[in-house]
Amino acid sequence: ADISSVHEGTAPVGYLDPVLFFDRTFITEGMRLLMLSVLKRLSGQGGDPVIQLQTAFGGGKTHTLLAVYHLVNGKAPASKMQGIPPILDAAGITELPKARVAVLDGVDLLDLASKPRVHGKTTVKTIWGEMAWQLGGEAAFAKLAEADHDGTAPGKSVLADVIGGSAPCII
């Protein structure tokens, strides 16, 4: 499983297709609770704003991230994703909320400074720039373009503006 390849659309179909993914995935109690928290947060019912996954190697972190990714990207209705309707019921909602998603793979983005990504006419050189681009395209990137060009952190208020302007979002 590779969340970057899923996000880029190059993963094997069993990971890429949300219906197949949930058909082949056993939803553990931890995964269920995490998805419930995400759904509550996105539907304005609380839920944790920041979640840290801590499991041993091979403990299911990537699978859990993929489950959240597929849950919120809107590519399949909940009724088609095995195991999801009961989680919606537990959250007290009838439809999956959609969210913008940014996938930031540290290995994949390791050499952004020397090998920038090009999105149309926009060249991205930092992880912050890539996050902004994925969340809100050119408009979000413009908010921190100077810092991206200089290779510096854009600052808390700029990041809050980019993230807030892209809400609801999952990073």
Side-chain angles (χ1 to χ4, degrees), residues 83-151:
I84 299 306
I87 299 172
L88 284 178
D89 291 343
I93 57 177
T94 56
E95 292 185 28
L96 285 171
K98 291 183 185 175
R100 295 178 187 192
V101 178
V103 174
L104 304 173
D105 181 332
V107 173
D108 188 39
L109 299 174
L110 190 58
D111 58 353
L112 262 178
S114 61
K115 296 179 185 174
R117 288 193 173 182
V118 178
H119 302 284
K121 296 179 182 178
T122 303
T123 300
V124 177
K125 296 195 244 178
T126 67
I127 195 167
W128 309 115
E130 184 62 22
M131 179 195 72
W133 181 265
Q134 288 184 33
L135 290 177
E138 193 173 322
F141 180 79
K143 295 176 181 181
L144 52 72
E146 185 177 330
D148 187 82
H149 179 268
D150 295 342

Side-chain angles (χ1 to χ4, degrees), residues 4-166:
S4 292
S5 65
V6 170
H7 188 63
E8 293 164 5
T10 60
V13 70
Y15 291 110
L16 195 57
D17 181 284
V19 175
L20 288 176
F21 175 80
F22 281 108
D23 281 348
R24 299 173 180 183
T25 296
F26 174 76
I27 298 175
T28 64
E29 181 63 9
M31 189 183 290
R32 185 188 73 76
L33 290 172
L34 177 83
M35 289 191 288
L36 181 60
S37 180
V38 167
L39 289 174
K40 285 183 175 184
R41 182 71 183 180
L42 292 176
S43 62
Q45 301 178 42
D48 298 317
V50 176
I51 299 168
Q52 183 178 6
L53 298 178
Q54 293 181 337
T55 63
F57 182 75
K61 291 180 291 294
T62 301
H63 243 76
T64 300
L65 291 172
L66 284 169
V68 170
Y69 180 88
H70 286 310
L71 191 67
V72 301
N73 73 6
K75 292 186 180 174
S79 62
K80 300 285 185 188
M81 294 187 285
Q82 186 173 321
I84 299 306
I87 299 172
L88 284 178
D89 291 343
I93 57 177
T94 56
E95 292 185 28
L96 285 171
K98 291 183 185 175
R100 295 178 187 192
V101 178
V103 174
L104 304 173
D105 181 332
V107 173
D108 188 39
L109 299 174
L110 190 58
D111 58 353
L112 262 178
S114 61
K115 296 179 185 174
R117 288 193 173 182
V118 178
H119 302 284
K121 296 179 182 178
T122 303
T123 300
V124 177
K125 296 195 244 178
T126 67
I127 195 167
W128 309 115
E130 184 62 22
M131 179 195 72
W133 181 265
Q134 288 184 33
L135 290 177
E138 193 173 322
F141 180 79
K143 295 176 181 181
L144 52 72
E146 185 177 330
D148 187 82
H149 179 268
D150 295 342
T152 59
K156 180 179 175 180
S157 63
V158 174
L159 290 175
D161 187 33
V162 167
I163 293 169
S166 302

